[in-house]
């Protein structure tokens, strides 16, 4: 039976898998994100040992070039991550493994995974948001992953920031207090001086829920998704998601007269069904399109 | 030859047309937006006189229900416009004229018109933004008008608002200082005490350009459009569009490494080629899909 390779490249680690579906994962591995040469080399070693695979899907942090036919297709481009800007990733796997490679954002891959096997099955238009080290978003519209000019970069929109109440200037090297700069795991750690997992004060999480909701209201206003699937390490905080839902409903304030942004908010904004495997399983789904 | 009816319902007037294309408009009329019964009656009279038309396309202010098969399809729903909430529009034209009716937002209709005959020909994913009395946005993704949960409502996202620099609380009855509440024609008039067309102070337009750019950055971050077509009465202010473009480039700050958000910004953010006729001509294009 044909098997596929999936890679989720993250800022701190790469998740690798060989298989065909969530219940048919033949092998997995995690490698730390160090230099491009070392990290890519370890991933190639994994697929050489566990393969052969028919194709590889890569869901990557970005920004990146996923435009087929572009001279820099398959490259991570302007990422603020040190050492990783303008890195050839997709073409390298294609050359070294001699198989087709599909290359997209980690969040578009996760969206595809959730559409195929998770919380977004059967939907036409929805988005996947991750709140981890950074904030990212991917989307499917009309049953296709959204690309457009490049790909969505949800994390870099601006949201209201009351400097009197929250003097933290923001953690984004490009934009300071964009959505990611205010509400990502990195932002939480920089603002409060401890990792998100160690923050217990209710005020911390009330502010976080407010910022997350402000961004989601922009997503709803622009994209009109049928569902928002929201994952990432920060969302594992108990009680955070219900607070986010409350804030979204309060911010929309009845303007959108649909149950999704009212009585049905708990199914409208939901965790990924594939949990933390959405990205790497989505990458396997991506490979199947290569 | 088969001709079509197009309606752009605006907050102050309805634009009506019969024809097939921009260079084949057989008849036009403008009726003031008064009560639903009177306004719809006048529009029906126009099509009865100038028809018969094979189908009618309606591009309407919203929020509205454009979901085919919904029991309230063709209704304007929660609009803040007095007298117009929960108004049956599409079904009324279908009943009275006995022709197919296509019903969508004014901005989705304008997007369709610009895609067919204007500044967005050949594009896969783009958006149309109008800055007039209110602010609205429509979009096409993968060659289809974007609907999702309902339809885009660009105007109601939140953007940063420095109350110290701009103490105006915002003009939106639902949200106060959402994008529309801060940057629409209504907001300009309420903040400065004179219609937008009479405001000459550079500081007025610098602030307006900043707010418009903040919203566009959210649109770019979420939707990744290949082009932004931006129209509406406020955009006719000489010099405003170049300021908006500058602010967008400054806000993105090199994060998106594409010429569109740099050297090519003047073609990336552009006025509608159909000018103020985008909506009513788009409604004719909509009728052709009915």
């Amino acid at each position: 039976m044909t098997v596929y390779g999936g890679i989720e490249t993250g800022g701190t680690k790469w998740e690798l898998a060989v298989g065909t579906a969530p219940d048919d994962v033949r092998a997995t591995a995690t490698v730390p994100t160090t230099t491009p040469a070392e990290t890519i080399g370890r991933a190639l070693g994994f697929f050489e040992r566990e393969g052969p695979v028919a194709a590889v899907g890569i869901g990557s942090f970005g920004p990146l070039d996923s435009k087929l036919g572009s001279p820099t297709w398959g490259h991570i481009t302007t990422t603020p991550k040190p050492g990783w800007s303008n890195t050839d990733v997709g073409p390298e796997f294609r050359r070294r493994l001699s198989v087709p490679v599909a290359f997209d954002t980690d969040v578009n891959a996760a969206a595809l995974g959730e559409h195929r096997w998770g919380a977004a099955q059967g939907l036409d238009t929805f988005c996947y948001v991750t709140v981890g080290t950074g904030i990212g978003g991917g989307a499917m519209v009309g049953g296709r992953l959204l690309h457009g000019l490049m790909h969505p970069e949800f994390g870099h929109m601006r949201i209201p920031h009351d400097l009197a109440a929250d003097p933290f200037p923001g953690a984004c090297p490009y934009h300071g207090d964009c959505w990611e700069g205010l509400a990502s795991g990195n932002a939480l750690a920089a603002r409060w001086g401890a990792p998100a997992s160690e923050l217990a004060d209710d005020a911390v999480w009330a502010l976080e829920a407010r910022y997350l909701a402000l961004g989601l209201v922009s997503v709803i206003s622009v994209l009109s998704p049928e569902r928002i699937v929201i994952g990432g390490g920060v969302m594992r905080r108990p009680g955070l998601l219900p607070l986010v839902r409350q804030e979204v409903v309060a911010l929309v304030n009845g303007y959108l007269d649909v149950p999704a942004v009212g009585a049905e908010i708990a199914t409208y904004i939901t965790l990924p069904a594939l949990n933390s495997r959405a990205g790497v399983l989505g990458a396997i789904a991506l490979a199947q399109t290569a």
Side-chain angles (χ1 to χ4, degrees), chain A:
Chain A
M1 188 179 170
T2 306
V3 297
Y4 297 89
I7 305 175
E8 181 186 17
T9 83
T12 54
K13 61 188 192 310
W14 286 28
E15 298 288 354
L16 314 173
V18 168
T20 65
D23 59 359
D24 179 38
V25 174
R26 313 284 176 91
T28 62
T30 303
V31 300
T33 309
T34 58
T35 63
E38 186 177 52
T39 315
I40 291 171
R42 285 181 184 169
L44 284 165
F46 169 78
F47 291 114
E48 283 160 357
R49 278 194 309 279
E50 304 293 343
V53 293
V56 170
I58 304 173
S60 178
F61 62 86
L64 51 78
D65 186 348
S66 60
K67 207 171 265 301
L68 294 174
S70 161
T72 53
W73 171 85
H75 286 60
I76 294 170
T77 57
T78 48
T79 181
K81 187 167 173 59
W84 281 84
S85 63
N86 304 308
T87 297
D88 171 332
V89 178
E92 180 70 359
F93 279 88
R94 195 164 57 182
R95 275 190 298 270
R96 298 284 291 277
L97 296 175
S98 300
V99 296
V101 171
F103 185 76
D104 211 323
T105 59
D106 45 5
V107 278
N108 262 354
L112 186 65
E114 288 291 324
H115 189 253
R116 180 102 179 247
W117 298 303
Q121 291 178 60
L123 298 183
D124 176 271
T125 296
F126 72 95
C127 66
Y128 179 92
V129 179
T130 183
V131 187
T133 315
I135 295 183
M140 192 174 264
V141 178
R144 296 193 341 184
L145 294 177
L146 177 59
H147 290 108
L149 179 68
M150 288 179 61
H151 50 73
E153 278 287 347
F154 288 10
H156 297 274
M157 67 173 105
R158 303 306 202 283
I159 59 169
H161 176 200
D162 179 352
L163 275 161
D166 173 25
F168 177 64
C172 175
Y174 281 86
H175 311 122
D177 61 353
C178 61
W179 196 25
E180 172 171 300
L182 288 174
S184 64
N186 272 352
L188 284 166
R191 183 191 287 106
W192 304 110
S197 57
E198 294 172 16
L199 299 170
D201 189 334
D202 283 350
V204 166
W205 296 103
L207 184 69
E208 177 69 5
R210 180 77 179 174
Y211 285 144
L212 291 177
L214 283 162
L216 294 181
V217 165
S218 292
V219 172
I220 293 167
S221 302
V222 174
L223 194 69
S224 192
E226 293 169 297
R227 182 166 295 154
I228 294 171
V229 182
I230 186 166
V234 172
M235 295 312 300
R236 286 189 209 118
R237 170 79 198 174
L240 177 59
L241 183 55
L243 281 180
V244 171
R245 291 174 179 143
Q246 275 176 31
E247 289 282 351
V248 167
V249 172
L251 285 164
V252 171
N253 194 27
Y255 183 71
L256 303 176
D257 187 25
V258 285
V261 196
E264 297 174 9
I265 192 74
T267 54
Y268 185 59
I269 305 180
T270 183
L271 294 172
L274 303 175
N275 303 310
S276 60
R277 297 197 305 160
V280 71
L281 290 170
I284 285 178
L286 205 56
Q288 292 168 355
T289 71

